[in-house]
Amino acid sequence: MKSKGQTKSTEAASARRKSKVKSNKESFETFAPLENKTIVLGVSGGIAAYKACDVASMLRRAGADVHAVLTPNAREFITPLSLTTMTRNPTHCEQYEQSSSWKPEHIDLAKKADLILIAPATADILAKLAGGICDDLLTSMVLASQAKVMVAPAMNPTMYGHPATRRNLDILQNTFRYDVISPEFGEVACGDVGSGKMASVESITAAVASRLLAHKTLMGKKVLVTAGGTREPIDPVRFIGNRSSGKMGIAMADALAGRGADVILVSTVEVNRAYNVLVVETAHDMQEVVEAEFDNCDALVMTAAVADFRPLRVTSHKIKKSESGDLVLELTQNPDILDLLGRIKRKDQVVIGFAAESEGLLTHAADKLQRKNLDMIIGNDITVPDIGFGSDDNAVIILGSDGVRESLPRMPKRAIAEHLCDHLVELIARIDESKAEEERDAGDEG
Ligand code: PMT
């Protein structure tokens, strides 16, 4: 069922893969955690703003490329010059500042940032972020970025304990998935005592470093990802396909690669990446490649929309209108790749599936989780406009065989992928722990 051109693209990709594996290994040797990391340091207007200089300096010395952004209120407490000196980069203050290029610089910066840290974060900026208000440069950048956001609140203890602030922090943490670096207990600038004093410069930089280091927690792990919709040929011209664009799978592969995983993307969509991309067309092609790679993988993430059926017969010539009146296609079932691999997976392998459902999302996803022996399933309701097939966003439910139940609201597919990476890191860490325990037990017995 595989066309000649298809075999070629698979072989070419396999050759590309071999050379890339080599170059990956070479780059691991020069790996340094905060090097090549771009951090936007947002400073809002509180007395703790003066500590932003120390934060900037520590992050820069750890190798990060730090760019400071001040809110108008922050300028009452600290000058752009101080931060420019500490970051060794221009400090941004004005939302509508003149730029040397036609592209607004801050949008570029928002896009290339690996992380946005807001320290100090006042009650005011937390409220704005929770409400999606973007009336200054910093809040606009946060909204324009898909980077991880961390906030280090600093304010009067009564303000920190106020239900409005608690609610805003809850939204930022649990809906937007921001990291909150909790303030310390102590005496604050106004003389009051309680929780509200910004975390120490050391704690903030450690939290940032561990978040960025966490990005490499899949180093040495091999993860197989599938993306796109398979095409099942009818004749040399026509095929049965589906609406999958590959965006979810590619976002997943990008996020995994960002965490240091050795990624193999098996995709029906051509994409140019530094990791290994194997281009396939049909469900059979995908099955062949995925089965060949699975044994050597620590995890498989099947986001692909694999056709359940294919035409029983594929004609070698283009079917002419004149050959028959109506055309009746006889379809036969394709193998279920995920089901086959779920059955044979080893206990040190993680298998994650996706479920595209048009009704009974929870019930059908839970059924697939159990029936296909998966560790996790990600369900998306494909009837909701602007999410799922083809769109840049998705909204999903996450069900784990360990009882995890979570629902992520609409957000960019990359943000969903980052969140799924967090789960994968946890699942793999659990496997590694139990392996280490088994080895210890075996050692004790010996
Ligand atoms: O590609 P995008 O445009 O970004 O869209 C993303 C998406 C909607 C395709 C994605 O989020 C998604 O839901 N993927 C799974 C689609 C699907 O085929 O769902 P399913 O419920 O039919 O299959 C369940 C699981 O079994 C999937 O992991 C699928 O890859 C796998 N499967 C299905 C059939 C088959 N023959 N073999 C399989 O391995």
Side-chain angles (χ1 to χ4, degrees), residues 43-49 70-77 120-122 124-125 154:
V43 184
S44 59
I47 188 68
L70 299 187
T71 64
N73 286 345
R75 294 187 65 177
E76 300 291 328
F77 295 91
T122 58
D124 177 62
I125 200 156

Side-chain angles (χ1 to χ4, degrees), residues 297-299 345-350 428 431-432 435:
C297 284
D298 297 285
K345 83 179 170 83
R346 301 187 306 265
K347 64 177 183 178
D348 65 345
Q349 288 179 307
V350 175
I428 288 183
I431 289 174
D432 286 349
K435 257 193 215 166

